[in-house]
Amino acid sequence: MSESGQQNQKQADNIYQQTADWQLNTGDIKIVAKRLLGRFRSLKWLAMLTWLPFFLGPYIRWNGQQAILFDIPNRQYHFFDLTVYPQDLWMLALTLVFFAILLAAVTSVAGRIFCGYFCFQTVWADIFTLIEGKCEGQTPSQASKFNSTPWTLNKLLRKTVKHSLWLLIALLTGLSFTAWFTDAFQLWHDYLTLEAALPAWIALAVFTTGTYVLAGFMREQVCLWLCPYARIQGVMVDQDTILPHYDQAQGEPRAKLRKSAIKEDKGSCIDCNLCVAVCPTGIDIRQGQQLGCITCGLCIDACDDVMTKTNQPTGLIRYASHKEIHHDAKPVQLYKRPRVMVYITIMLLALTGVVSGVTGLSPAEFNVLHERQPLFVRLSDGTIQNKYTLKLLNKTQQNMFVTIDISGLAGATLHQVKMTEIEPGKVLPLTVFVRLPEARLESEITSITFIANMNGEIDNNLTYQSMFLAPKL
Amino acid sequence: MAEKEEYEKVKDTGHNWDGITELDNPPPRWWLNALYLSGLLVLVYFILYPSLPLVNDSTKGLLGWTQIREYKQDFAAIEQRRAPYEEKFAQMSITEVLEDPEMLNYIRASSKVLYGDNCAACHGIGGQPPQAGTYPVLADDDWLYGGTIDDIMMSIANGRIGQMPAHDGALTEQEVTDLTQFVIDSANSLPNEAGRILYDQYGCAMCHGDDAKGDKYAGSADLTDKIWRFSDTEEQIRRTILHGVNDGFDPQTRLAVMPQWSEKMAIKLEIKADVINAGEKVEEINWKDELNGNESERLSESDIKKLAIYVHQLGGGE
């Protein structure tokens, strides 16, 4: 081998050695995180409560029907008094934009706190591991001892209880999800009498299995290898983002505590490994911010606890930005961070759009289609007749009385249907004729406005501008 | 990714380029097995669906699926959705249909296809032929044979053949010119004494009426309105007067024929009208005596009823 060949070989070795150094948790070790009390643990519980509406929401009633209902078969979305039809779907798009940018904004300010506190994977896995801990032991050693002992009645009982509780939660999750799309009480009835529709069973099965497998067995593996948001959020973090950081300057060189005496040349880290033991994804935060970190702050709780016990200042691991830790910089004001300001602007725009959309939601949709073939017809007295199809969609919950009128074309008269009743949620096509005597013709194309008045209320009008066509003069 | 062994421990393929060795990392066993298993899906299709072509036929497959069967099932499903409307429609009188907006919408939507298949070729998609004067416009309010739904139904069922005798040779050149002017003046509501005398003299009034407004029983055109069956130019009006419509003895005559769509229905309509005129009951008609069973029927009665309503709604039904 030549000298350059040897050099190449050396470089290749380096690459392989680097990859070998990566701390990769691929599920070969089951993570049993220790549960400790603390500030961020309490915060996590509070954050988890935001999922309660997911379970309880479908049971809120409003005017005799489900308050919030995504009625897919009827293509309607009910939100209390509001009914949104596919025509207004742009508002959903804006809402999604708002939340997508909210995720980006929050991540650039405070890192993956969505992952750590709010994500369903984190929340459900936390509940599932709580149950597992109660049944099989709270610490890794207890758990492994429990699992390696031979099968006894006690072990069987504990395993059964664990899986039953898991399945129960999974079932409730599936049912609650499905209940947003169909009447919740009717759904319970249908499930219990085994009469539910096939889509309802499929939704229940998919969500139950999904919850059971993802929260029960895959846990942190989902965050590490499955979830795209984890990776997307990773790139939104910059040096001003507040993340759990291990303060190396304060902690190193780490050493075990001997007889509670702290040596002068030693850092505050006593290498107790508690920060690793409590981590739900099983990483060591002392190696720096890494892809496994969901920024939940449980290691901070653990470390602060230890620091207090060993009479050392807390905050060895703390929420801080890269600049604060490594360059002793002060936190940057939000308005001095262009990226965050751009995010906030987009969010405000989207929010304005949704709010104006919701407040300006019209009770009906009104369209006028001019007949294309023939464009006009000459009647026996020479009058020119145009035909129009009016389409009216009643977006309210009550029957709607609509009166049609025209304006803007002098001498024109409206024929056939002038008043009609439309059932809620229905579209009614109406054929009408507009006639204009030959003597009143002024040009080949004249604009004409159709006015649909709803329920006889003054000013409750929808207008649509169309054309009146005539032969060449 | 499951095991991260030191690369030195991994088998290599023996290939080495400039010191870079190609390692032999096989994909995980479960992954490979899943790949092979997915290939076995072919067998599932083989068993469930028609697969092997035989001499005259093919293997049927357990599901018994065929494309034509699927089409027929889908078609049956549509028919099933239409059935309640069709059944209701069959029981309804025309006035009832006109007062039922939902039924009217159904008729309008379903007749569009019928009209397109059978009528639009001549009368145009919206009831106006592409070229003016070729076929009657159905979207206006001028009706040669009457514009009520019953009249339209009869026109469709029985077909129509307009009759106007040729006058070539019977009229002098000046008389033709005067009559042409009379027709033009009538349309513009202007008096024309000379023309009027000729109109009466040659018996035009027999078909077109004393008031020249036409007669729906003769199918003659209204000469006083602004709508021209053939053309409003002087030359073309002359041609109509000289050569008539459907006059078998004149090779230059205008042809205007509406085909018969149901002889059976035409006979039935006629008998019904007679019975009603005579003050008897329609229910008492013994259709077996009236019909011999050989009457032609290109469209069903319900289709003609639908089409009559559709045409009536096009723009100018009476």
Side-chain angles (χ1 to χ4, degrees), chain A residues 106-119:
Chain A
V106 167
T107 308
S108 72
V109 172
R112 290 166 56 186
I113 60 163
F114 171 75
C115 294
Y117 294 88
F118 299 95
C119 176

PDB file of all heavy atoms in Angstrom, chain A residues 106-119:
ATOM      1  N   VAL A 106     -41.966  28.644  18.871  1.00  0.00           N
ATOM      2  CA  VAL A 106     -41.685  28.116  20.208  1.00  0.00           C
ATOM      3  C   VAL A 106     -40.345  27.402  20.219  1.00  0.00           C
ATOM      4  O   VAL A 106     -39.545  27.548  21.143  1.00  0.00           O
ATOM      5  CB  VAL A 106     -42.827  27.174  20.646  1.00  0.00           C
ATOM      6  CG1 VAL A 106     -42.417  26.369  21.857  1.00  0.00           C
ATOM      7  CG2 VAL A 106     -44.082  27.967  20.933  1.00  0.00           C
ATOM      8  N   THR A 107     -40.081  26.636  19.154  1.00  0.00           N
ATOM      9  CA  THR A 107     -38.834  25.883  19.104  1.00  0.00           C
ATOM     10  C   THR A 107     -37.630  26.819  19.042  1.00  0.00           C
ATOM     11  O   THR A 107     -36.624  26.581  19.694  1.00  0.00           O
ATOM     12  CB  THR A 107     -38.821  24.943  17.890  1.00  0.00           C
ATOM     13  OG1 THR A 107     -40.007  24.165  17.921  1.00  0.00           O
ATOM     14  CG2 THR A 107     -37.617  24.018  17.939  1.00  0.00           C
ATOM     15  N   SER A 108     -37.736  27.892  18.278  1.00  0.00           N
ATOM     16  CA  SER A 108     -36.573  28.767  18.176  1.00  0.00           C
ATOM     17  C   SER A 108     -36.351  29.539  19.470  1.00  0.00           C
ATOM     18  O   SER A 108     -35.248  29.947  19.764  1.00  0.00           O
ATOM     19  CB  SER A 108     -36.708  29.710  16.977  1.00  0.00           C
ATOM     20  OG  SER A 108     -37.675  30.673  17.253  1.00  0.00           O
ATOM     21  N   VAL A 109     -37.403  29.721  20.264  1.00  0.00           N
ATOM     22  CA  VAL A 109     -37.238  30.420  21.542  1.00  0.00           C
ATOM     23  C   VAL A 109     -36.814  29.440  22.640  1.00  0.00           C
ATOM     24  O   VAL A 109     -35.837  29.670  23.347  1.00  0.00           O
ATOM     25  CB  VAL A 109     -38.545  31.128  21.945  1.00  0.00           C
ATOM     26  CG1 VAL A 109     -38.423  31.688  23.359  1.00  0.00           C
ATOM     27  CG2 VAL A 109     -38.855  32.236  20.961  1.00  0.00           C
ATOM     28  N   ALA A 110     -37.536  28.346  22.755  1.00  0.00           N
ATOM     29  CA  ALA A 110     -37.332  27.491  23.920  1.00  0.00           C
ATOM     30  C   ALA A 110     -37.083  26.032  23.557  1.00  0.00           C
ATOM     31  O   ALA A 110     -37.263  25.147  24.383  1.00  0.00           O
ATOM     32  CB  ALA A 110     -38.537  27.600  24.844  1.00  0.00           C
ATOM     33  N   GLY A 111     -36.684  25.764  22.332  1.00  0.00           N
ATOM     34  CA  GLY A 111     -36.330  24.398  21.967  1.00  0.00           C
ATOM     35  C   GLY A 111     -37.543  23.495  21.854  1.00  0.00           C
ATOM     36  O   GLY A 111     -38.672  23.965  21.700  1.00  0.00           O
ATOM     37  N   ARG A 112     -37.292  22.198  21.995  1.00  0.00           N
ATOM     38  CA  ARG A 112     -38.355  21.231  21.741  1.00  0.00           C
ATOM     39  C   ARG A 112     -39.267  21.062  22.947  1.00  0.00           C
ATOM     40  O   ARG A 112     -39.510  19.937  23.384  1.00  0.00           O
ATOM     41  CB  ARG A 112     -37.728  19.906  21.331  1.00  0.00           C
ATOM     42  CG  ARG A 112     -37.088  19.958  19.953  1.00  0.00           C
ATOM     43  CD  ARG A 112     -36.210  18.771  19.709  1.00  0.00           C
ATOM     44  NE  ARG A 112     -36.950  17.513  19.889  1.00  0.00           N
ATOM     45  CZ  ARG A 112     -36.371  16.312  19.837  1.00  0.00           C
ATOM     46  NH1 ARG A 112     -35.081  16.212  19.605  1.00  0.00           N
ATOM     47  NH2 ARG A 112     -37.083  15.235  20.012  1.00  0.00           N
ATOM     48  N   ILE A 113     -39.796  22.185  23.494  1.00  0.00           N
ATOM     49  CA  ILE A 113     -40.662  21.987  24.657  1.00  0.00           C
ATOM     50  C   ILE A 113     -41.975  21.333  24.261  1.00  0.00           C
ATOM     51  O   ILE A 113     -42.638  20.723  25.078  1.00  0.00           O
ATOM     52  CB  ILE A 113     -40.935  23.287  25.450  1.00  0.00           C
ATOM     53  CG1 ILE A 113     -41.607  24.322  24.567  1.00  0.00           C
ATOM     54  CG2 ILE A 113     -39.690  23.831  26.091  1.00  0.00           C
ATOM     55  CD1 ILE A 113     -42.243  25.419  25.387  1.00  0.00           C
ATOM     56  N   PHE A 114     -42.323  21.436  22.953  1.00  0.00           N
ATOM     57  CA  PHE A 114     -43.504  20.675  22.521  1.00  0.00           C
ATOM     58  C   PHE A 114     -43.231  19.190  22.746  1.00  0.00           C
ATOM     59  O   PHE A 114     -44.050  18.474  23.319  1.00  0.00           O
ATOM     60  CB  PHE A 114     -43.811  20.949  21.044  1.00  0.00           C
ATOM     61  CG  PHE A 114     -44.858  20.039  20.487  1.00  0.00           C
ATOM     62  CD1 PHE A 114     -46.190  20.220  20.802  1.00  0.00           C
ATOM     63  CD2 PHE A 114     -44.505  18.957  19.673  1.00  0.00           C
ATOM     64  CE1 PHE A 114     -47.158  19.359  20.308  1.00  0.00           C
ATOM     65  CE2 PHE A 114     -45.470  18.098  19.181  1.00  0.00           C
ATOM     66  CZ  PHE A 114     -46.797  18.301  19.505  1.00  0.00           C
ATOM     67  N   CYS A 115     -42.057  18.735  22.319  1.00  0.00           N
ATOM     68  CA  CYS A 115     -41.686  17.327  22.493  1.00  0.00           C
ATOM     69  C   CYS A 115     -41.704  16.945  23.970  1.00  0.00           C
ATOM     70  O   CYS A 115     -42.206  15.904  24.358  1.00  0.00           O
ATOM     71  CB  CYS A 115     -40.279  17.076  21.953  1.00  0.00           C
ATOM     72  SG  CYS A 115     -40.127  17.267  20.188  1.00  0.00           S
ATOM     73  N   GLY A 116     -41.129  17.794  24.784  1.00  0.00           N
ATOM     74  CA  GLY A 116     -40.904  17.442  26.175  1.00  0.00           C
ATOM     75  C   GLY A 116     -42.148  17.491  27.041  1.00  0.00           C
ATOM     76  O   GLY A 116     -42.246  16.772  28.032  1.00  0.00           O
ATOM     77  N   TYR A 117     -43.088  18.346  26.683  1.00  0.00           N
ATOM     78  CA  TYR A 117     -44.224  18.563  27.589  1.00  0.00           C
ATOM     79  C   TYR A 117     -45.586  18.252  26.985  1.00  0.00           C
ATOM     80  O   TYR A 117     -46.496  17.866  27.692  1.00  0.00           O
ATOM     81  CB  TYR A 117     -44.231  20.020  28.068  1.00  0.00           C
ATOM     82  CG  TYR A 117     -43.056  20.374  28.937  1.00  0.00           C
ATOM     83  CD1 TYR A 117     -41.868  20.815  28.388  1.00  0.00           C
ATOM     84  CD2 TYR A 117     -43.140  20.221  30.321  1.00  0.00           C
ATOM     85  CE1 TYR A 117     -40.787  21.123  29.195  1.00  0.00           C
ATOM     86  CE2 TYR A 117     -42.064  20.525  31.132  1.00  0.00           C
ATOM     87  CZ  TYR A 117     -40.882  20.981  30.567  1.00  0.00           C
ATOM     88  OH  TYR A 117     -39.824  21.276  31.359  1.00  0.00           O
ATOM     89  N   PHE A 118     -45.746  18.488  25.682  1.00  0.00           N
ATOM     90  CA  PHE A 118     -47.096  18.446  25.115  1.00  0.00           C
ATOM     91  C   PHE A 118     -47.344  17.297  24.145  1.00  0.00           C
ATOM     92  O   PHE A 118     -48.473  16.894  23.949  1.00  0.00           O
ATOM     93  CB  PHE A 118     -47.401  19.766  24.393  1.00  0.00           C
ATOM     94  CG  PHE A 118     -47.366  20.953  25.296  1.00  0.00           C
ATOM     95  CD1 PHE A 118     -46.233  21.722  25.418  1.00  0.00           C
ATOM     96  CD2 PHE A 118     -48.482  21.273  26.058  1.00  0.00           C
ATOM     97  CE1 PHE A 118     -46.197  22.811  26.269  1.00  0.00           C
ATOM     98  CE2 PHE A 118     -48.459  22.371  26.909  1.00  0.00           C
ATOM     99  CZ  PHE A 118     -47.312  23.135  27.027  1.00  0.00           C
ATOM    100  N   CYS A 119     -46.288  16.796  23.534  1.00  0.00           N
ATOM    101  CA  CYS A 119     -46.492  15.796  22.482  1.00  0.00           C
ATOM    102  C   CYS A 119     -47.216  14.570  23.018  1.00  0.00           C
ATOM    103  O   CYS A 119     -46.919  14.076  24.103  1.00  0.00           O
ATOM    104  CB  CYS A 119     -45.158  15.374  21.870  1.00  0.00           C
ATOM    105  SG  CYS A 119     -45.363  14.082  20.653  1.00  0.00           S
TER     106      CYS A 119
END
